[in-house]
Amino acid sequence: MAIRAVVFDFGGVVIRTPFEMAPGLERRLGLAPGAIDLAGPFNPAADPLWRRFRGGEFTELEYWQRQADRHAEMIDAGEDRLRSLMDALFEAPRDEVLRPDTWQLRRTLIGSGLRVAALTNDLSRFHDPAWIERMDVLDKFDPFVDLSNTGILKPDPRGYRRVLDGLGLPTNQVLFVDDQPVNIEGAENVGMQAVHFDVLDRPTSIRRVLDAVS
């Protein structure tokens, strides 16, 4: 059955990853390159916490909480260390935060008559309301589902069902796109088609999305 809607993950797909934002934070703080040592998928060998997360030892949220603890003194973090880290990393102009190739993909999909939704685990956990309003993206997705305060996180099947209910479409007519393989597996387990968005090879990932909806 033909795809009628595409659901994007937000962090990593719609906006750049915190790893990609780290050099900008170093410049703003006057730090040497590499001082904010977030490597993740860009250099797993240099990031033991990332390897443990990808090995299933803890969740992505726990990964970022541990990184926030590591960098708390460097960024002069407040009581909420995780929010402080994300505020510091993403305190940049909108055009530096949004991923332009995904934004163009969104326009292409809508132009082809498809609905484009978003499903994220942690938007309002990672970012404050003022930042979310400044990004001005939530109303560009139909619907935008944030699981931050629900007690549910991908790959829990209930998370995918929330966006499916919002779309009102059969599961097999919805394509899910995420940069974390565990979330791709979760989508496939509920019957959605899925494409892994590889942040190391974005052009190929975008072609795979377009192929899946053609």
Side-chain angles (χ1 to χ4, degrees), residues 24-197:
L25 175 57
E26 291 167 345
R27 290 191 294 271
R28 292 192 295 275
L29 295 178
L31 299 173
I36 306 293
D37 59 337
L38 300 173
F42 295 90
N43 187 6
D47 193 336
L49 286 174
W50 182 260
R51 298 197 304 273
R52 291 169 64 188
F53 154 59
R54 291 299 292 267
E57 188 172 332
F58 43 76
T59 67
E60 186 178 13
L61 177 59
E62 290 171 307
Y63 167 82
W64 285 114
Q65 288 170 330
R66 293 176 187 222
Q67 290 289 19
D69 289 341
R70 292 182 62 243
H71 292 88
E73 185 174 345
M74 188 175 298
I75 64 169
D76 193 22
E79 183 176 347
D80 187 337
R81 292 180 172 184
L82 176 57
R83 175 69 65 82
S84 295
L85 176 62
M86 292 301 164
D87 283 347
L89 287 166
F90 286 92
E91 186 56 39
R94 181 177 185 270
D95 289 346
E96 293 181 19
V97 174
L98 292 176
R99 199 178 285 293
D101 36 8
T102 301
W103 211 241
Q104 178 56 51
L105 174 61
R106 170 191 161 274
R107 288 192 289 265
T108 299
L109 295 170
I110 291 173
S112 299
L114 297 172
R115 291 172 65 184
V116 179
L119 174 65
T120 182
N121 272 351
D122 302 305
L123 180 64
S124 58
R125 176 66 185 88
F126 282 9
H127 302 288
D128 64 36
W131 184 90
I132 294 170
E133 182 177 359
R134 179 166 63 86
M135 287 299 103
D136 187 30
V137 294
L138 271 63
D139 62 351
K140 307 300 191 297
F141 295 90
D142 175 28
F144 191 105
V145 177
D146 179 14
L147 299 173
S148 294
N149 300 310
T150 65
I152 301 168
L153 294 175
K154 297 173 292 182
D156 188 316
R158 294 172 294 174
Y160 305 99
R161 292 186 185 118
R162 288 200 174 212
V163 74
L164 289 166
D165 289 345
L167 286 165
L169 292 172
T171 306
N172 61 357
Q173 294 184 13
V174 180
L175 177 72
F176 179 71
V177 182
D178 197 294
D179 63 320
Q180 295 299 336
V182 66
N183 295 335
I184 292 296
E185 182 179 352
E188 292 173 338
N189 286 342
V190 300
M192 301 171 77
Q193 298 185 53
V195 168
H196 175 233
F197 189 93

